[in-house]
Amino acid sequence: MQTIEQLLESKDIRVTVMRLLIYKFLAEKQVAVTLSDIENAFEKADRTTLYRTIKTFEEKDIVHQIDDGTGITKYALCEKGCNCEIETDLHLHFHCNNCNETICLTEHKIPQIKVPDGFVSENVNLVVKGICDKCSR
Amino acid sequence: MQTIEQLLESKDIRVTVMRLLIYKFLAEKQVAVTLSDIENAFEKADRTTLYRTIKTFEEKDIVHQIDDGTGITKYALCEKGCNCEIETDLHLHFHCNNCNETICLTEHKIPQIKVPDGFVSENVNLVVKGICDKCSR
DNA sequence: ATAACAAATGCACTTCCATTGCACTTACTA
DNA sequence: TAGTAAGTGCAATGGAAGTGCATTTGTTAT
Ligand SMILES: [Mn+2]
Ligand SMILES: [Mn+2]
Ligand SMILES: [Zn+2]
Ligand SMILES: [Zn+2]
């Protein structure tokens, strides 16, 4: 079991207070978060810092970006074994039309998609929208 | 064979010069267009008019919106038989990373996606990114 | 320990797209 | 033809993303 510090260092990210806090915030969340969510959680910190932190995390494959169609990009921690490096977001994402939350369905891989002759598929974004388990019961 | 006028009227859209022009513009295009694309094509017209026209078309299921992940929403005419009303975008969309164009692959329906217990799927957005046929040859 | 350097942070500002309020014009309807 | 509703143009706003630069913090070498 490695500490967050060790994880960051293993990805060539220098450990800072801000980064540890943001990492912990993401880890506690069960849903994908927007930059505004982070902003609201850390009102004392500057938006730019939060923005650049999440960008650093993204570059180093600590988080992956999710485009759920709301127009606002969201982020979620990569699971161990997530290989965003190779092909982004192999798993699908679910966006709840009721509570507006988006979650990673890491167990649900994206099926192979056929494209017409001449087209080359490099990656796939699949978002299912509907009602989440919390809202449907 | 119905005229564009008849089509618009059948969808409860009043016919205006602007609307006819914009419809024709969309019909000629083989790719999804942004609001800016329309703007560039009709420099004399106001942005707002174009914006509201496309919104009207969208409401009345003349066009459907496409979120291809570029951050800019695109629009394309619905094919006859396209039932956006019921479930949006049953077909998949292809975004070319080279020429930046997005097209509807209307023949390619989205496969049935399984979601976990408690989740209710209402619709699905599927975007494949890669190299289009024009750019790959 | 301290100086020198590099990276991280904070502040201000910018850009781009989407959206709205309101005045004016055009088109339908009585 | 007058009255009314819808469409259009202009101006302004808001939100999110992104950048330049000064300042602070942390790392490294002397
Ligand atoms: Mn995910
Ligand atoms: Mn389409
Ligand atoms: Zn929900
Ligand atoms: Zn292309």
Side-chain angles (χ1 to χ4, degrees):
Chain A
M1 188 54 203
Q2 65 179 354
T3 63
I4 302 174
E5 283 88 344
Q6 286 167 340
L7 172 66
L8 294 182
E9 278 164 3
S10 76
K11 300 261 187 179
D12 277 313
I13 302 172
R14 282 160 65 163
V15 177
T16 69
V17 177
M18 241 9 271
R19 285 170 178 176
L20 285 172
L21 286 170
I22 294 173
Y23 187 95
K24 281 175 193 158
F25 175 75
L26 292 168
E28 282 164 11
K29 283 275 178 184
Q30 296 302 311
V31 299
V33 301
T34 65
L35 190 56
S36 299
D37 292 335
I38 304 177
E39 223 180 315
N40 293 334
F42 300 98
E43 304 209 323
K44 283 167 292 186
D46 187 77
R47 234 197 72 253
T48 315
T49 305
L50 305 174
Y51 171 75
R52 289 202 256 236
T53 300
I54 207 83
K55 284 293 165 196
T56 302
F57 282 3
E58 199 188 346
E59 270 169 33
K60 305 289 183 169
D61 299 313
I62 294 274
V63 302
H64 62 274
Q65 194 171 332
I66 302 165
D67 174 14
D68 62 8
T70 55
I72 302 157
T73 50
K74 297 185 179 175
Y75 303 89
L77 280 188
C78 294
E79 308 266 313
K80 36 203 143 297
C82 166
N83 31 17
C84 287
E85 321 90 55
I86 301 157
E87 186 165 7
T88 39
D89 292 343
L90 302 146
H91 59 274
L92 66 91
H93 294 113
F94 188 93
H95 176 75
C96 179
N97 291 325
N98 183 245
C99 66
N100 205 36
E101 285 185 348
T102 297
I103 64 168
C104 299
L105 296 180
T106 35
E107 302 308 312
H108 290 63
K109 301 307 177 194
I110 295 177
Q112 191 65 29
I113 306 291
K114 277 229 179 66
V115 289
D117 273 359
F119 288 81
V120 181
S121 164
E122 289 177 347
N123 69 64
V124 178
N125 183 31
L126 178 57
V127 180
V128 177
K129 301 187 189 205
I131 309 297
C132 77
D133 57 343
K134 276 182 283 181
C135 292
S136 73
R137 68 167 73 111
Chain B
M1 188 54 202
Q2 65 179 353
T3 63
I4 302 175
E5 283 88 344
Q6 287 167 339
L7 173 65
L8 294 182
E9 277 164 3
S10 76
K11 299 262 187 178
D12 276 312
I13 301 172
R14 282 161 63 164
V15 176
T16 69
V17 177
M18 243 6 274
R19 285 169 179 178
L20 286 173
L21 286 171
I22 294 173
Y23 187 96
K24 282 175 193 158
F25 175 75
L26 292 168
E28 282 164 12
K29 283 276 178 182
Q30 295 303 309
V31 299
V33 300
T34 65
L35 189 57
S36 299
D37 290 336
I38 304 177
E39 222 180 317
N40 293 333
F42 299 98
E43 304 210 321
K44 283 167 294 187
D46 187 78
R47 235 189 94 71
T48 316
T49 305
L50 306 173
Y51 172 75
R52 290 201 258 236
T53 300
I54 208 83
K55 285 292 164 196
T56 302
F57 283 3
E58 198 188 346
E59 270 169 31
K60 305 289 183 164
D61 299 315
I62 294 273
V63 302
H64 62 274
Q65 193 171 332
I66 302 165
D67 173 15
D68 64 7
T70 55
I72 302 157
T73 50
K74 297 185 177 174
Y75 303 89
L77 279 189
C78 295
E79 309 267 314
K80 35 203 144 297
C82 165
N83 32 17
C84 288
E85 323 89 55
I86 301 157
E87 187 166 7
T88 39
D89 293 342
L90 302 146
H91 59 274
L92 66 93
H93 293 114
F94 188 93
H95 175 75
C96 179
N97 291 325
N98 183 244
C99 66
N100 205 36
E101 285 187 346
T102 298
I103 64 169
C104 299
L105 296 180
T106 35
E107 302 308 311
H108 290 63
K109 301 306 177 194
I110 295 176
Q112 190 65 30
I113 306 292
K114 278 230 179 66
V115 290
D117 273 0
F119 289 81
V120 181
S121 164
E122 289 177 347
N123 69 63
V124 178
N125 183 33
L126 177 58
V127 180
V128 177
K129 301 190 189 203
I131 308 297
C132 78
D133 58 342
K134 277 181 285 181
C135 291
S136 73
R137 70 168 69 113

